[in-house]
Amino acid sequence: MAGEQIQLNQGQNTNLPPGITLDVIIQCGAAPSSLDVSCFMVDENGKVPSDDYFIFYNQNVDPHQSVRLTQADEHSSRFTLDLNRLQQAPISKCVFTATLEGVGTFAQVANCQAVLQIGGQQITYTLSEMTSETALILIEVYKYKEAFKVRAIGRGFFGGLQPLAESFGVEIEADDSANGSQAAAASTASQQAASGSANATSSVAGSSTSPASTAAAQSSPAPSLSESAPKLTVPLTKIDLLKNKVTSSLEKKQVAPIKARVAVVFDASGSMYSLYKKGIVQEAFERVLAIAAAFDDDGELDVWFFAKEFLRAKSVRADNYENYIERAYKLGSKGGTNNEPPVMEDVIRKYTKEAPNVHIPTYIIFFSDGGVSSKSKIAKLIIDSSRYNLFWQFVGLGNANYGVLRELDELKGRFVDNANFFELDDISKVSDEELYDRLLNEFPSWIEEAKRKSILA
């Protein structure tokens, strides 16, 4: 509807309305240094087909003229997307990023936003809860069937433009001697973008540069991707960035790297519908997938959904995570009320009967929004499984009836304390660092106890 305004939360996605032209504005109210905004046009593997698909102030349009940087200044950049041409381009999505050219972190950036304008509609995502990160992935516009959708990412990480670009397969030429030219390069950004001079990039077409190496690039052509240093075998993805936060959480606890199988169980009852629709379940899934990527040799995550019935879904790895929830589980097909015991029995069956492995632990993250009623059955399953190498981490989504889950610390009859529970008012507002700290609070100590009692061989 014309004039409609939509506010996105972190992890949420929405359909873009029909239209030919989409404007994407990345802006902030104040920042400790200039905001350097870029667009990475990536394929299904999360990599740019070539460096021509890295859009920034020194290369303001892609070969198909589907994405153009039309304006850039110290605190704001505007990209115009021709959606008809973009639909024909050999890319899967456009990822919009920002780095700080000079001093400071995104904790010091005020009112950082991504604003999308199309067909009289405005979609806004406002960044929140950043700390000392110096680089940021704000949003992604991606192809969906015959149209487009946008997802709010809001993921920060450290290191500035170089690791950010390399995560999408773009090699950045390091040139410490050019550091002094950053301010000059930044001051020309709006002039180059506003002029629309694609010719300004002719001397670096097929090359990879950064703001820090602009002066060097002007004096001598930067090497092409094929001529520069070898690329990463597997480029960093969103899951890789989250995986680093999992590792950091363990390091803070002085816990050695963990080798484990990882599973996640999602409540899919009717009361969870809005969390699925808003993309919050997908976001939670991605954060758990990063744990599997950190713990499991092959990075595989086993997934279950449950309501009145349950569904054992196809296992997934980090190279196939996008839109997984939508692909793996069709809302309404298994909906209804909560019925935890059958899905818990299936999880136990998989890891003790179908694919037992006494040499490594199995970490099961179980999401529920309440309505837990089968107290005696759930208690018996937890007690019975305490002699196996299974650890249950229950997570409550909101202040609801969690029954026996709130009594786990006092649950008698277990061979070892094999379960933990905590609840969150709104998982979408909990930082990655806090979530991983809480998810990994008791699992490491259970591993040590399981070894002492010979549960783990």
Side-chain angles (χ1 to χ4, degrees):
M1 179 171 60
E4 182 182 0
Q5 295 195 13
I6 296 176
Q7 300 288 333
L8 291 181
N9 296 319
Q10 185 181 32
Q12 188 175 359
N13 65 67
T14 190
N15 294 308
L16 291 177
I20 298 175
T21 301
L22 169 67
D23 285 325
V24 177
I25 303 100
I26 308 297
Q27 61 189 14
C28 67
S33 57
S34 297
L35 204 63
D36 183 11
V37 181
S38 306
C39 174
F40 294 88
M41 303 173 65
V42 301
D43 58 21
E44 293 181 354
N45 296 317
K47 294 192 294 184
V48 295
S50 75
D51 54 340
D52 293 331
Y53 293 85
F54 171 35
I55 311 303
F56 67 117
Y57 70 78
N58 204 35
Q59 182 167 266
N60 71 326
V61 67
D62 69 289
H64 306 272
Q65 299 186 17
S66 58
V67 177
R68 184 182 296 272
L69 176 62
T70 55
Q71 173 268 326
D73 56 35
E74 187 177 6
H75 292 153
S76 176
S77 295
R78 177 185 292 265
F79 296 81
T80 298
L81 282 62
D82 184 322
L83 298 183
N84 287 338
R85 292 183 176 182
L86 186 59
Q87 192 64 256
Q88 305 304 316
I91 63 104
S92 176
K93 62 185 176 182
C94 297
V95 184
F96 293 88
T97 70
T99 59
L100 292 171
E101 288 191 357
V103 298
T105 71
F106 274 95
Q108 301 166 287
V109 176
N111 196 33
C112 187
Q113 292 182 320
V115 180
L116 292 82
Q117 298 172 342
I118 180 172
Q121 184 178 85
Q122 180 167 300
I123 302 169
T124 304
Y125 167 57
T126 302
L127 182 69
S128 62
E129 297 182 0
M130 297 307 295
T131 55
S132 56
E133 294 93 337
T134 55
L136 177 70
I137 301 174
L138 284 101
I139 62 166
E140 57 185 26
V141 173
Y142 58 97
K143 293 178 180 178
Y144 180 73
K145 298 181 179 178
E146 301 301 319
F148 291 89
K149 298 181 76 169
V150 57
R151 177 183 290 111
I153 303 297
R155 297 293 176 205
F157 59 104
F158 306 96
L161 179 63
Q162 183 167 348
L164 178 62
E166 288 177 348
S167 73
F168 297 109
V170 174
E171 287 292 327
I172 296 294
E173 180 185 10
D175 188 349
D176 294 337
S177 65
N179 286 340
S181 67
Q182 284 187 357
S187 69
T188 63
S190 60
Q191 298 174 9
Q192 291 177 333
S195 67
S197 62
N199 292 335
T201 65
S202 59
S203 64
V204 294
S207 69
S208 300
T209 60
S210 69
S213 61
T214 300
Q218 291 174 344
S219 60
S220 61
S224 67
L225 287 176
S226 60
E227 295 170 343
S228 58
K231 290 187 178 63
L232 298 172
T233 302
V234 179
L236 291 175
T237 66
K238 176 182 178 180
I239 305 302
D240 292 308
L241 302 177
L242 291 173
K243 176 182 173 181
N244 292 337
K245 295 184 179 182
V246 174
T247 302
S248 295
S249 179
L250 293 176
E251 290 174 347
K252 285 190 300 182
K253 300 174 185 294
Q254 297 183 330
V255 174
I258 292 173
K259 180 180 179 181
R261 296 184 293 188
V262 182
V264 64
V265 182
F266 286 112
D267 186 339
S269 57
S271 56
M272 285 283 294
Y273 177 77
S274 63
L275 298 186
Y276 280 85
K277 186 176 181 180
K278 292 177 182 178
I280 293 174
V281 174
Q282 172 71 25
E283 181 70 16
F285 153 76
E286 292 171 4
R287 295 161 102 175
V288 173
L289 180 58
I291 297 177
F295 289 0
D296 200 306
D297 281 346
D298 60 7
E300 190 167 82
L301 176 66
D302 297 326
V303 185
W304 279 263
F305 301 91
F306 80 97
K308 185 177 180 180
E309 302 176 36
F310 72 86
L311 173 69
R312 187 194 294 190
K314 184 178 180 179
S315 300
V316 63
R317 294 188 178 95
D319 59 359
N320 191 31
Y321 75 93
E322 293 186 345
N323 299 319
Y324 174 84
I325 296 298
E326 188 173 355
R327 289 185 284 113
Y329 182 74
K330 303 303 180 183
L331 290 177
S333 65
K334 299 286 181 182
T337 58
N338 298 64
N339 188 15
E340 291 84 4
V343 70
M344 292 178 67
E345 290 170 351
D346 194 60
V347 171
I348 294 170
R349 180 164 48 250
K350 175 179 172 66
Y351 296 119
T352 63
K353 303 295 183 183
E354 299 174 14
N357 187 338
V358 297
H359 298 286
I360 61 173
T362 301
Y363 182 42
I364 307 153
I365 303 173
F366 196 110
F367 289 98
S368 171
D369 75 340
V372 178
S373 58
S374 303
K375 178 177 178 177
S376 60
K377 291 182 180 179
I378 294 173
K380 186 177 187 304
L381 288 167
I382 293 174
I383 292 169
D384 290 348
S385 65
S386 68
R387 293 186 175 274
Y388 295 106
N389 53 335
L390 309 178
F391 182 84
W392 302 86
Q393 176 61 67
F394 294 94
V395 182
L397 302 178
N399 186 15
N401 170 30
Y402 296 112
V404 68
L405 301 184
R406 282 203 172 106
E407 303 168 12
L408 289 177
D409 288 340
E410 301 175 0
L411 187 59
K412 306 299 183 182
R414 288 180 290 174
F415 186 64
V416 65
D417 184 350
N418 63 334
N420 183 41
F421 171 77
F422 65 84
E423 58 188 289
L424 302 169
D425 288 335
D426 187 345
I427 191 173
S428 67
K429 295 182 179 179
V430 176
S431 69
D432 297 322
E433 290 79 7
E434 179 183 352
L435 182 63
Y436 291 135
D437 285 348
R438 299 187 72 175
L439 285 173
L440 301 175
N441 186 40
E442 292 195 14
F443 181 52
S445 59
W446 170 84
I447 291 176
E448 296 304 315
E449 182 67 12
K451 289 179 179 177
R452 283 193 293 269
K453 294 196 173 183
S454 299
I455 294 174
L456 290 171

